[in-house]
Amino acid sequence: MISQINCVTISFLLFLIGMFGLFLNQKNILIMLMSLEIMFLSLSFNLVLSSVYLDDIAGQIFALLVLTITAAESSIGLAILVVYYRIRSTITVELMSLTKG
Amino acid sequence: MYLLIITLPLFGAVLTGFAGRWLGHYGAAILSTSCVVITFFISLSLFYEVGLAGMSCFITLFTWIDSGTFKITWSFLFDSLTTVMLVIITTVSSLVHIYSIKYMEKDPHLPRFMAYLEIFTFFMIILVTSNNLIQLFLGWEGVGLASYLLINFWYTRLSAGQSAIKALVVNRIGDFGLSLGILTLFYIFHSVEYSTIFMCVPLFTNYYLDVFNIKLHGLSLAGIFLFIGALGKSAQLGLHTWLPDAMEGPTPVSALIHAATMVTAGVFLMIRFSPLIEYSTFLLFLLTIFGSMTAFFAAVTGAFQNDLKKVIAYSTCSQLGYMTLACGLSNYHVSIFHLSNHAFFKALLFLSAGSVIHAVSDEQDMRKMGSLLKFLPLTYSLMLIGSLSLSGFPFLSGFYSKDFILELSQVASYSSLNMSYSLFACWLASSAVFFTAFYSFRLVYLTFLNSSNTPRVTVLNIHESSWLITLPLFILGLGSIFIGYLTKDIFIGFGSDFWGSAIFILPCNSYVLEAEWLPSFIKWIPFLFSFSGILVASLLNILAFYFQTDFWYNKLFLFWAFLANKKWYWDKIYNDIVVNFLLNFGYKVSFKNLDRGFVELLGPVGLSKLVQVLSFRVSSIQTGQLNHYIFFMVLGLSLFSFPFLLIWAFSFDLNFYALGIFCILFIFI
C-alpha cells in the first residue's frame, strides 16, 4: 500500500514540476513544451498505476491513447513553433505578447 | 341678473379675444365696453337690492369637486360686501374701458387689450362673488394671470416682460401663503365654504394644532397664511416690490389693476375673513403693524420718486397700508369705505396721469414737465381734485375715510387695552399723512405749476384729450368729491345695518363710538399734518430758487432723499440676498451639483464609467504573456477543483463557496 501511495505522490510531484515548469519559465518555449510532455507523462504514469492497482486494462489503453495524442500534439506544436520562428525569428516567450486584452 | 354679472364679462372677453380679428378695432372696443357697462348697471341694481334693501342672495349652480368630505360647488354669495366691491370694480372697469378706447387708439392690438381688461374684470368678479375659498382662489390666480398679461401687453419691451414676471412671481409667493391658508382652514374646519367656516370659528378659539409637538393656535396660523396672501396681492411691506414695477403696462392698466381692483383683493380677503381675524389678537397686531409700516414706508418713498406713475403707485401702496391698518384695528367697514373712496380718486389720478402722459408725447418723468396748467386746464383741475382727495382735504372723499382711520388709531393708542403697539402704528400712520400730502402736491407742482422743462417740440403738440378720455375723468372726479360724503352714513354711519352679517366685529374690539368723542385737538391732527405737507411742498417748489444752494445740497437731506428715491434699497437687498442667492443655488447646487452631479453620478454617467473601468481592469488581465495565461488557467482549475476537495473532505455547502469565489475575484480585480 505504501508503494502505491508513493507512486501516486511521485506522479503528482511530476505533474507539479511540469506545471511549475510551464508557468515559471519566462524564456524558452521549448522548455514549456517539455514541461507539457512531463505533465502528460505523469498522467500516463498515474493511469498505468491505477490500472495495475485496480486490475483493469482500461487505464493502460488510456495511457496508450494519451501517448499517441502526446506525440501528435508535440509534433503539431513543434510545427507551429517552426512556423512561428520563420516569421518572427525568435522563440522567446516574453516577446510573444502581440495579443493583448 | 345675478349670474349675468359674471357671465357678461366672460362673454365679452372671449368674444373680443377670439373674434377680435373679425370685429375690428372699434367693434371690439364697443362690444367689450358695452358688456362692462351693462355689468355696471346690473351691479348698481344689485347694490340697491342686496345692499340697500338688505336681501343677501346665495346662488348654487352645480358641483365642481366632490371628493369625500371635500365638496365644492359653483356657488355665488351676494352680500353687502360683495355688492360694494362689485360696484367699485365695475365702475372703475367700465370707465377704464371707455378711457382705453381713445387712449389705445393707435395701438394695433386694441382687441387683445380689451379682452385682457375684460378677462381681468371677470376674474375679479369671480373673486369677490365666490362663496368658498377654492373659487376665490380661482379668481385670485386669474387676476394675477390677467395682471401678467396686461403688464406685459407691450411684449416687445424687455422691461415690460421683466416687470410682468416680477409681478407674477412675487404675487405667487403670496398665493402660496393663501393656498397654505386654505389647506389649514380645511384641516381645521373640514370645509372651505365661508358660511361653515365663519359659523364654526367661535367654537375653535381654543383649537391648537400640534406641529412637531409645538402648539400653534389654529385660527392665528390660518389667518397668518391668509395674510401672507394678502401681503402679496395688496403689496404690503415685504412683498410690495412688484407694484411700482408694474407701471410698465399701459396707464389704463395701472388704473384698473393697481388702483382699484387687483390690489384691493388682499384687503377684501382680510375684510371677508373678519369673523376669523377677530378671534386672533396676534393677527390683529400683525395687520396693524404691517399696515402702518406700509403706509409710512410707501408714503416716504413716493415723496421722492421722479416718475409720474411711480409716485401714484407708491401712493396706492401707502393707502393699502391704511386699509390694512383699519382691518388691524378691527374696523373692517372703515377699511372697505376707504377702499371704495380710494378706488375713485386713485383711478382718477392714474387716468389723469395717463392724460398728461398722452399730452406730452409719452414722457413720464416729472422733471421734464411743468407749467402744463396753461395747456391742460381740465386735466389739471381733475388731478387737483384727486390730489386733494388723496391728501385728505376736508369734505372730499378721502377725508371721510382716512381721517376716520386715523381717529380710530388714536383711540386704539389711548385705550387701556393691551395694545401698546398701536401707539407706534398710530403715529406712523399719522406722519404718513404728511408725506401723502407732500408727494401729491409735489406731483401737482412739478407737472402743472412749476416753470416748464418741456422741449419745444413737445409743447407744440400739447392738447387736451378727446371726450372719451375726459368723460371718465370727469365722472371719477365727481366720485372723488361726492362718494365719501354720500356713502359715509351707509358704510360707517353709527348703527348702520348695511353690512349685516358680512362683517363681524367683536364687541370688545369695537371703538367706533370712542372715535366720535375724541378731544378736538386730536381730531385736528390729520388735517394739520396734511396741511403742513401741502405747505412744505408748496414752499419747496415756489421757493426752490432760493433754496437751491442751501437746501438741495445739504448732505443729510440729500442722503435721505436719495435713499427714498432708491425705494430704500428694497429691490437691491432682495436682489442681492434673496434672488441672486436662490438663482445661484438653483444653478450651482440643484442643477450642477444635484441634477448634473450627484444624480447623474449614481445614474447613467457614473454607472457607465464604472462598467468601463471594470471592463478595462478585466481585459487588462489578458496581458498577452503566455505564462500569465497559464497561471490563470491553473488558478482557475485550482479554484474549480477546490470545492470538490472541500465537499469530499467536510461535506461543505457549495453555494457559500461560489459566493466566496466571487468575492475573491472581485477583490482581485
Side-chain angles (χ1 to χ4, degrees), chain A residues 26 32 94 96-97 99-101, chain B residues 619 622-625 627 630:
Chain A
Q26 305 273 323
M32 283 173 88
E94 276 172 316
M96 288 184 180
S97 58
T99 52
K100 276 186 188 173
Chain B
S619 70
Q622 302 173 333
T623 51
Q625 295 287 338
N627 44 347
I630 294 160

Side-chain angles (χ1 to χ4, degrees), chain B residues 240-266:
Chain B
H240 67 277
T241 48
W242 67 273
L243 186 62
D245 280 11
M247 292 298 119
E248 288 297 332
T251 315
V253 170
S254 312
L256 186 60
I257 300 181
H258 312 296
T261 46
M262 180 177 166
V263 286
T264 59

Side-chain angles (χ1 to χ4, degrees), chain B residues 154-171:
Chain B
W154 289 317
Y155 53 81
T156 46
R157 291 175 60 192
L158 180 63
S159 58
Q162 286 169 338
S163 303
I165 288 168
K166 187 176 183 181
L168 199 68
V169 169
V170 175
N171 262 305

Side-chain angles (χ1 to χ4, degrees), chain B residues 278 281 284-285 288 324-334 404-423 425-426 492 494 505-518 523:
Chain B
E278 276 303 286
T281 328
L284 290 173
F285 159 76
T288 315
T324 313
L325 171 65
C327 288
L329 299 170
S330 30
N331 285 286
Y332 307 93
H333 55 307
V334 187
F404 200 57
I405 292 174
L406 291 168
E407 279 168 22
L408 286 166
S409 72
Q410 291 282 3
V411 173
S413 67
Y414 283 117
S415 69
S416 55
L417 300 169
N418 188 19
M419 290 167 71
S420 47
Y421 59 89
S422 62
L423 189 68
C426 161
I492 60 169
F494 190 72
I505 299 170
L506 272 184
C508 65
N509 284 345
S510 170
Y511 19 83
V512 183
L513 190 58
E514 286 91 327
E516 299 293 344
W517 301 102
L518 276 174
K523 289 206 170 204

Side-chain angles (χ1 to χ4, degrees), chain B residues 443-456:
Chain B
L443 186 146
V444 169
Y445 273 105
L446 281 175
T447 321
F448 291 104
L449 300 174
N450 279 359
S451 51
S452 180
N453 276 331
T454 330
R456 182 169 174 276

Side-chain angles (χ1 to χ4, degrees), chain A residues 69-89:
Chain A
I69 285 165
T70 314
E73 174 258 324
S74 54
S75 64
I76 290 168
L78 282 170
I80 289 169
L81 201 67
V82 169
V83 171
Y84 187 82
Y85 181 76
R86 267 201 202 147
I87 296 165
R88 296 284 308 267
S89 3

